[in-house]
Amino acid sequence: MSSPDDLPISPDSVTWTTSDGYVLHGRRWKPTQPPRGYIVAVHGIQSHSGWYGYSSSRLALAGYEVRFPDRRGSGENRKDRGHVLHWERWLNDLSQILENVRYDRDRTAPTAPVVLMGVSWGGKLALATAGRRPDLVDALALLYPGLFARVRPTLVQAGLLRLARQLGLNRKTVPVPLDDPAMFTDQPQWREFIRNDPLALHEVTTGFLFANADLQEQAIQLAPQITSPLLLMLAGRDRIVDNEATGRFFESLPIPAKTRVDFPQARHTLEFEPDREEFVRRLVDWLEQVDRASRTE
């Protein structure tokens, strides 16, 4: 299903071959001039790069190149649907893409910052990657990051998951508990888009959930090692993310350059809000601050 957006800049379809031979599909939005910055984006658990066409296109229009891979087993990536062997596999995939971006940046626009942007679930992967590989990230943006979830397994489900891990059952499929589009947005056209999206991920394996739990732990542990500028954006009426816990964690991080932006009336996905132009404008404002700081160092 195509997005209802009419985009000022259309994406290119791109692929990346990872270190274990897996071919990742994704999208790239390129500005018409040499980039003033490079953004590598990471999507949510159910979504894929196709959900974020409006903001990515607007960022390209503002001069930023956006590279948006679909996570392995998600979006256009059909192999091992909803599965991963280990949390470090995700981190290795993302680190390799960041290395490729920095190589291209150094050849074309060496002063341009490389910004890692984690959206929803992608926030925890972005946070862990920035903490583990700070040499690859000049700035980090977390958009309604899925570090602390309001949607949690019941005690019975958590017990069954622990038992499955003890028994080595990593291929059992489990529904993603986000099948109500109203959790993402109030807007009817975007609810319809989500409901009918053939690329949305509705099931993951127990192996994915094991890796997800480990990634959560690693992201929390690695976050204090981040020194690059950090942006946090939160949706005030979010039914998926625990904003209070996320805000406390954000305030606890010993990062000198922290910026928080709240959208009190928004649901989870800022991309699907009526005032999403304001969300993009605030994001571009922050990117311009990062750009100016990088050029004076």
Side-chain angles (χ1 to χ4, degrees), residues 8 168 193 221 285:
F193 169 75
Q221 291 179 4
D285 286 348

PDB file of all heavy atoms in Angstrom, residues 8 168 193 221 285:
ATOM      1  N   PRO A   8       7.878  15.889  -1.801  1.00  0.00           N
ATOM      2  CA  PRO A   8       8.657  16.808  -2.638  1.00  0.00           C
ATOM      3  C   PRO A   8       9.928  16.166  -3.184  1.00  0.00           C
ATOM      4  O   PRO A   8      10.412  16.555  -4.241  1.00  0.00           O
ATOM      5  CB  PRO A   8       8.978  17.971  -1.685  1.00  0.00           C
ATOM      6  CG  PRO A   8       8.828  17.414  -0.315  1.00  0.00           C
ATOM      7  CD  PRO A   8       7.778  16.360  -0.405  1.00  0.00           C
ATOM      8  N   GLY A 168      15.762 -23.135  24.857  1.00  0.00           N
ATOM      9  CA  GLY A 168      16.348 -22.860  23.548  1.00  0.00           C
ATOM     10  C   GLY A 168      15.336 -22.801  22.423  1.00  0.00           C
ATOM     11  O   GLY A 168      15.683 -23.054  21.261  1.00  0.00           O
ATOM     12  N   PHE A 193      -3.872   3.455   6.566  1.00  0.00           N
ATOM     13  CA  PHE A 193      -2.566   3.108   5.999  1.00  0.00           C
ATOM     14  C   PHE A 193      -1.898   2.008   6.816  1.00  0.00           C
ATOM     15  O   PHE A 193      -1.416   1.007   6.268  1.00  0.00           O
ATOM     16  CB  PHE A 193      -1.683   4.349   5.950  1.00  0.00           C
ATOM     17  CG  PHE A 193      -0.248   4.079   5.632  1.00  0.00           C
ATOM     18  CD1 PHE A 193       0.159   3.772   4.334  1.00  0.00           C
ATOM     19  CD2 PHE A 193       0.715   4.108   6.629  1.00  0.00           C
ATOM     20  CE1 PHE A 193       1.490   3.508   4.041  1.00  0.00           C
ATOM     21  CE2 PHE A 193       2.053   3.857   6.345  1.00  0.00           C
ATOM     22  CZ  PHE A 193       2.438   3.550   5.047  1.00  0.00           C
ATOM     23  N   GLN A 221      22.749   0.381  29.853  1.00  0.00           N
ATOM     24  CA  GLN A 221      24.116   0.363  30.382  1.00  0.00           C
ATOM     25  C   GLN A 221      25.068   1.237  29.580  1.00  0.00           C
ATOM     26  O   GLN A 221      25.966   1.878  30.142  1.00  0.00           O
ATOM     27  CB  GLN A 221      24.638  -1.080  30.405  1.00  0.00           C
ATOM     28  CG  GLN A 221      23.961  -1.978  31.420  1.00  0.00           C
ATOM     29  CD  GLN A 221      24.496  -3.392  31.386  1.00  0.00           C
ATOM     30  OE1 GLN A 221      25.438  -3.713  30.645  1.00  0.00           O
ATOM     31  NE2 GLN A 221      23.906  -4.271  32.182  1.00  0.00           N
ATOM     32  N   ASP A 285      15.649  22.447  13.085  1.00  0.00           N
ATOM     33  CA  ASP A 285      16.302  23.456  13.922  1.00  0.00           C
ATOM     34  C   ASP A 285      17.433  22.837  14.735  1.00  0.00           C
ATOM     35  O   ASP A 285      18.537  23.408  14.846  1.00  0.00           O
ATOM     36  CB  ASP A 285      15.288  24.102  14.871  1.00  0.00           C
ATOM     37  CG  ASP A 285      14.352  25.068  14.167  1.00  0.00           C
ATOM     38  OD1 ASP A 285      14.630  25.418  13.000  1.00  0.00           O
ATOM     39  OD2 ASP A 285      13.337  25.463  14.779  1.00  0.00           O
TER      40      ASP A 285
END
